[in-house]
Amino acid sequence: MADKIIIGKNGDEHGIWVARPGQTVQDGGPYLMSSVGDMLKIHAQGSIKSTGLNQSQGLWRHKLEVPFPELPFIPLAFMGLKTSSSEPFQFPPDLYNSIVTEFYGTGNWGYVSHLPKIGMSHKALYFVGWTDHYECHFNYTVFLLKLREKF
Amino acid sequence: MSNRLLLDKDHLVVAKPGHDATNPSLAEGDKLFDSSWLFSSTIVEAGIHVDQASYKYGRPPQNVIQWDVSTNDSYTQVINFTPLPFVPTVLLLPLADSRYWRENGAVLLSADKKNKYADYVQRQGSITVTNSQIRIPRIRSAAPNSDTWYFREDFIYVIMAM
């Protein structure tokens, strides 16, 4: 039997399966939807205006901490700087301009290359980036998808 | 009251609140799900892979977040997942060194090592995906006649049902 949608028993399991266009549930995965798997649901989404803190070589440095409704875990999140609130952003962001190299020892072995705090906790996003705009937008999407337990 | 569900033998549509799933002109943005879509963000598995390789050097005295940490270990990193009947699409996102996550209370993103180091380093092979594994050969120093070293790498991985 060739089913596009099964709600009920499928082999030894019970649930919902929806096959991709041109496929049947009996063809196997990947499924368009399966009650056995998870889906990329959005927990928080938004756009924050940001103004540059300092300028170097024609670029403005932006630094943000953006809270979202607290979760019991650290979620997957996409984020980036753009000129408008609705403009798609590159992710992962190119953090090359955010790298800092400092010298603390002797000879070439004394150099330490480091980044500012850029990432996500269970309740906030942290971002530092450079753009050629003094005013820009920090666009983000936080998914209801657990990466790891919160710290 | 709007009819938010359309279900027949070959078609399932779930509309957002206030929208009619039986409307053939229903805008895509007003749907939660449509079985005609090619992909609906179904996730097989997601998580964080922490590199278990040794550290070539101790932690520097400054309280800074390192992202390009060296190791003498050369082995290929492997992320295993439950075998699937297909080879999935995988998203890998590089992370800054895991030593710094807890004290910052966050999982920390990294820069692309090739952007900074360019031809001075090279990955020892392609990153490959099978129906049960992601294999990530290490990036190593490329300069001849020099001390050979490799990078530690931590990742976010997302295995998608597509």
Side-chain angles (χ1 to χ4, degrees):
Chain A
M1 191 164 178
D3 298 297
K4 165 72 175 177
I5 300 169
I6 290 180
I7 301 177
K9 195 164 187 282
N10 180 23
D12 295 329
E13 294 181 300
H14 284 85
I16 299 174
W17 290 263
V18 180
R20 292 183 301 165
Q23 302 280 311
T24 68
V25 175
Q26 287 78 8
D27 288 335
Y31 300 110
L32 195 63
M33 177 169 69
S34 164
S35 51
V36 177
D38 200 353
M39 297 181 79
L40 209 56
K41 300 174 285 291
I42 293 176
H43 173 64
Q45 192 171 41
S47 180
I48 304 289
K49 276 189 182 176
S50 177
T51 53
L53 296 174
N54 56 280
Q55 191 178 29
S56 175
Q57 299 180 352
L59 297 177
W60 285 95
R61 183 173 183 265
H62 294 259
K63 182 178 179 182
L64 302 104
E65 179 176 334
V66 178
F68 55 80
E70 188 169 328
L71 290 166
F73 52 80
I74 295 180
L76 176 69
F78 292 171
M79 61 194 102
L81 295 175
K82 272 306 186 182
T83 55
S84 73
S85 62
S86 59
E87 192 174 353
F89 52 89
Q90 171 192 334
F91 194 82
D94 182 358
L95 300 181
Y96 177 72
N97 285 334
S98 297
I99 297 170
V100 177
T101 301
E102 291 180 304
F103 180 75
Y104 74 93
T106 56
N108 288 333
W109 300 110
Y111 285 98
V112 176
S113 177
H114 57 93
L115 282 170
K117 181 178 178 179
I118 301 171
M120 47 277 202
S121 71
H122 62 290
K123 58 182 181 179
L125 303 177
Y126 310 92
F127 197 83
V128 176
W130 294 83
T131 121
D132 52 3
H133 296 278
Y134 171 66
E135 289 182 339
C136 70
H137 289 258
F138 175 72
N139 298 338
Y140 65 93
T141 299
V142 179
F143 298 100
L144 204 62
L145 184 66
K146 177 182 175 182
L147 292 182
R148 59 151 290 148
E149 299 295 331
K150 65 181 182 180
F151 292 107
Chain B
M1 191 165 94
S2 58
N3 186 354
R4 292 183 56 201
L5 178 68
L6 167 70
L7 175 63
D8 61 30
K9 183 175 176 296
D10 297 310
H11 200 193
L12 170 63
V13 176
V14 183
K16 289 183 178 178
H19 296 277
D20 186 352
T22 62
N23 178 5
S25 301
L26 184 64
E28 294 299 323
D30 294 328
K31 299 176 186 176
L32 288 175
F33 180 82
D34 187 334
S35 59
S36 300
W37 289 345
L38 294 176
F39 174 66
S40 65
S41 67
T42 306
I43 302 297
V44 174
E45 185 177 326
I48 289 181
H49 173 77
V50 177
D51 196 340
Q52 300 301 306
S54 60
Y55 288 90
K56 187 176 175 71
Y57 303 107
R59 180 169 166 162
Q62 291 86 349
N63 186 26
V64 294
I65 298 170
Q66 287 184 288
W67 65 281
D68 55 345
V69 179
S70 305
T71 176
N72 288 322
D73 296 339
S74 61
Y75 61 85
T76 293
Q77 294 203 75
V78 177
I79 301 174
N80 291 305
F81 53 89
T82 303
L84 300 169
F86 57 92
V87 178
T89 295
V90 170
L91 176 67
L92 282 178
L93 303 171
L95 297 171
D97 190 74
S98 55
R99 290 188 288 194
Y100 302 94
W101 297 352
R102 182 172 297 278
E103 63 201 57
N104 284 279
V107 170
L108 303 171
L109 301 182
S110 178
D112 186 333
K113 293 174 176 61
K114 287 294 286 184
N115 280 353
K116 178 174 173 17
Y117 292 97
D119 294 338
Y120 291 104
V121 298
Q122 62 186 30
R123 197 174 287 281
Q124 297 183 98
S126 299
I127 297 174
T128 56
V129 181
T130 70
N131 71 320
S132 63
Q133 272 190 349
I134 307 166
R135 296 183 64 83
I136 309 166
R138 285 194 188 275
I139 297 174
R140 58 155 286 177
S141 54
N145 303 318
S146 69
D147 180 29
T148 299
W149 49 267
Y150 306 84
F151 276 126
R152 300 183 81 262
E153 292 184 287
D154 305 304
F155 293 99
I156 289 171
Y157 66 93
V158 181
I159 301 168
M160 294 178 277
M162 63 180 289

